[in-house]
Amino acid sequence: MPADYNGRWEMVSNDKFEDILKAIDIDFATRKIASHLSQTKEIVQDGDKFETKTLSTFRNYEVNFTIGEEFEEHTKGLDNRKVMTMVTRDGDKLVCVQKGEKDNRGWKQWLEGDMLHLEIHVLDKVCHQVFKKSQ
Ligand code: VLP
């Protein structure tokens, strides 16, 4: 049985998110707001298909993908870039590569008990977020 990401996940920690925002050229004022937000993730997973929403009081971000299928992602409301995105599995981990202007861009996501971990990387910066299952 592959990992089941379905549900609503509430942020419990967000280490070095501001470094990521800086690496994707988000301005100072926006970084200050964004790095203090609590994020909620809503994931609907059907086999290899994922519908994901990252929600906050300031901005929301939605992206849908299918494992192994590359697509053009528009990071709307974030840095508004276009990247070529592909998510694959590495065991129970999801591994995302976002090819574009910024090197080494992507994320990894995995479960530990009722916690969801997300590591976001851009250039030499790494952010580690943890979410707790709420529904
Ligand atoms: C929005 C989200 C920041 C909340 C903060 C507002 C740049 C794996 C995958 C989704 C991602 C990470 C996306 C990060 C979204 C931040 C406003 C900032 C201005 O996660 O969970 O499938 O792609």
Side-chain angles (χ1 to χ4, degrees):
M1 258 282 278
D4 178 7
Y5 290 92
N6 277 296
R8 186 177 166 94
W9 305 84
E10 303 289 346
M11 179 170 266
V12 295
S13 65
N14 190 9
D15 184 45
K16 297 201 162 38
F17 186 55
E18 193 178 355
D19 287 0
I20 296 294
L21 297 179
K22 198 166 185 181
I24 59 172
D25 309 311
I26 303 303
D27 67 85
F28 180 85
T30 307
R31 289 204 308 268
K32 291 299 152 193
I33 297 168
S35 58
H36 289 101
L37 294 169
S38 186
Q39 301 174 24
T40 300
K41 229 168 254 285
E42 289 184 354
I43 301 177
V44 177
Q45 176 187 1
D46 179 10
D48 284 352
K49 277 192 71 178
F50 289 77
E51 296 175 358
T52 75
K53 294 181 184 167
T54 306
L55 307 171
S56 78
T57 53
F58 177 55
R59 262 177 221 172
N60 300 324
Y61 185 67
E62 297 189 19
V63 62
N64 301 332
F65 54 85
T66 302
I67 300 294
E69 288 186 11
E70 191 174 49
F71 66 101
E72 185 179 76
E73 179 176 3
H74 179 205
T75 60
K76 194 168 177 276
L78 304 177
D79 58 330
N80 297 303
R81 285 188 171 90
K82 294 210 168 140
V83 289
M84 290 307 293
T85 298
M86 180 143 89
V87 183
T88 55
R89 282 201 176 87
D90 175 12
D92 276 343
K93 247 184 213 191
L94 300 183
V95 178
C96 173
V97 174
Q98 295 166 315
K99 281 187 282 180
E101 185 185 336
K102 297 288 177 180
D103 285 342
N104 192 37
R105 182 170 184 168
W107 50 261
K108 291 180 185 176
Q109 185 170 280
W110 67 96
L111 299 177
E112 291 181 15
D114 66 347
M115 308 296 257
L116 179 148
H117 290 251
L118 175 62
E119 194 183 88
I120 304 170
H121 54 88
V122 181
L123 305 173
D124 63 341
K125 305 303 179 195
V126 182
C127 161
H128 185 197
Q129 304 181 328
V130 182
F131 299 78
K132 186 173 171 45
K133 183 115 189 210
S134 76
Q135 276 176 39

